[in-house]
């Protein structure tokens, strides 16, 4: 944790140095892990002649809207570092929420399946319609999931708020 503090300070200085940003967009990056949700964000592509950052449609795994960062032709080393830190932050956020959402969906399915089996019900009714639980039963799952992931969410929130602009490259389970 302490090793990340100098990067956060550097990012804060860079964020303060620039209020906004020749035409090129930064390429999307996405190193995928086998035990993680896919990190490939939408294939949205802004116009080639655009001279601004573009925000794409929500990613289907993370539900975050990816940013395509504009690269000025005469980008200074300081501007490049800021853009790269912003991209790194976006990649980290995309991966964190893709993994978190995947975990949520898997655990939710397990919970529903176990509760239905305990009631002696099948996942699908005879009509083919998927069986569901009521709101009170699902509230048990949501409470359980939030309690189980409290540390992970606290870590995420602390890292986002400490930097203001938020840069970290690790999470508690990575």
């Amino acid at each position: 944790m302490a090793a990340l503090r100098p990067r956060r300070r550097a990012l804060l200085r860079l964020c303060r140095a620039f209020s906004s940003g020749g035409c090129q967009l930064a390429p999307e990056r996405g190193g995928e892990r086998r035990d993680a949700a896919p990190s490939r964000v939408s294939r949205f592509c802004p116009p080639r002649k655009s001279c601004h950052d573009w925000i794409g449609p929500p990613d289907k795994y993370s539900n975050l809207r990816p940013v395509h960062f504009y690269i000025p032709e005469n980008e200074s080393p300081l501007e490049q570092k800021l853009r790269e830190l912003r991209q790194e932050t976006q990649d980290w956020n995309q991966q964190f929420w893709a993994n978190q959402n995947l975990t949520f969906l898997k655990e939710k399915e397990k919970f529903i399946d176990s509760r239905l089996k305990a009631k002696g019900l099948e996942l699908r009714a005879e009509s083919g319609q998927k069986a569901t639980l009521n709101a009170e039963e699902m509230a048990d799952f949501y409470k359980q999931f939030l309690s189980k992931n409290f540390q992970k969410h606290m870590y995420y929130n602390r890292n986002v708020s400490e930097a203001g602009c938020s840069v970290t490259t690790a999470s508690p389970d990575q």
Side-chain angles (χ1 to χ4, degrees), residues 31-38 95 99 102 106:
E32 293 185 16
R33 291 180 10 211
R34 290 184 181 173
D35 63 335
Q95 194 63 50
N99 290 338
L102 181 66
K106 285 180 178 178

Side-chain angles (χ1 to χ4, degrees), residues 82-100:
L82 174 62
R83 179 182 46 78
E84 288 169 352
L85 288 170
R86 290 175 66 207
Q87 181 67 49
E88 183 180 311
T89 300
Q90 175 180 293
D91 293 344
W92 180 79
N93 278 311
Q94 288 283 352
Q95 194 63 50
F96 176 89
W97 287 109
N99 290 338
Q100 188 64 15

Side-chain angles (χ1 to χ4, degrees), residues 32-72:
E32 293 185 16
R33 291 180 10 211
R34 290 184 181 173
D35 63 335
S39 64
R40 183 78 182 135
V41 292
S42 81
R43 297 195 186 281
F44 168 76
C45 187
R48 287 191 175 269
K49 302 229 185 243
S50 173
C51 295
H52 303 283
D53 291 349
W54 279 69
I55 299 172
D59 176 65
K60 72 179 191 178
Y61 301 106
S62 69
N63 294 322
L64 298 178
R65 297 172 68 94
V67 178
H68 297 265
F69 295 98
Y70 165 69
I71 304 173

Side-chain angles (χ1 to χ4, degrees), residues 64-138:
L64 298 178
R65 297 172 68 94
V67 178
H68 297 265
F69 295 98
Y70 165 69
I71 304 173
E73 289 177 18
N74 57 349
E75 180 177 58
S76 72
L78 201 55
E79 289 172 317
Q80 179 183 356
K81 184 166 180 145
L82 174 62
R83 179 182 46 78
E84 288 169 352
L85 288 170
R86 290 175 66 207
Q87 181 67 49
E88 183 180 311
T89 300
Q90 175 180 293
D91 293 344
W92 180 79
N93 278 311
Q94 288 283 352
Q95 194 63 50
F96 176 89
W97 287 109
N99 290 338
Q100 188 64 15
N101 293 342
L102 181 66
T103 301
F104 176 83
L105 292 173
K106 285 180 178 178
E107 290 185 21
K108 181 177 157 188
E109 281 301 313
K110 275 194 221 173
F111 179 85
I112 291 171
D113 189 40
S114 68
R115 287 287 174 103
L116 290 174
K117 283 183 181 175
K119 290 179 173 183
L121 300 172
E122 295 291 325
L123 276 170
R124 297 211 176 260
E126 289 178 22
S127 64
Q129 189 174 354
K130 195 172 182 178
T132 60
L133 299 175
N134 65 35
E136 285 183 22
E137 291 170 309
M138 288 308 297

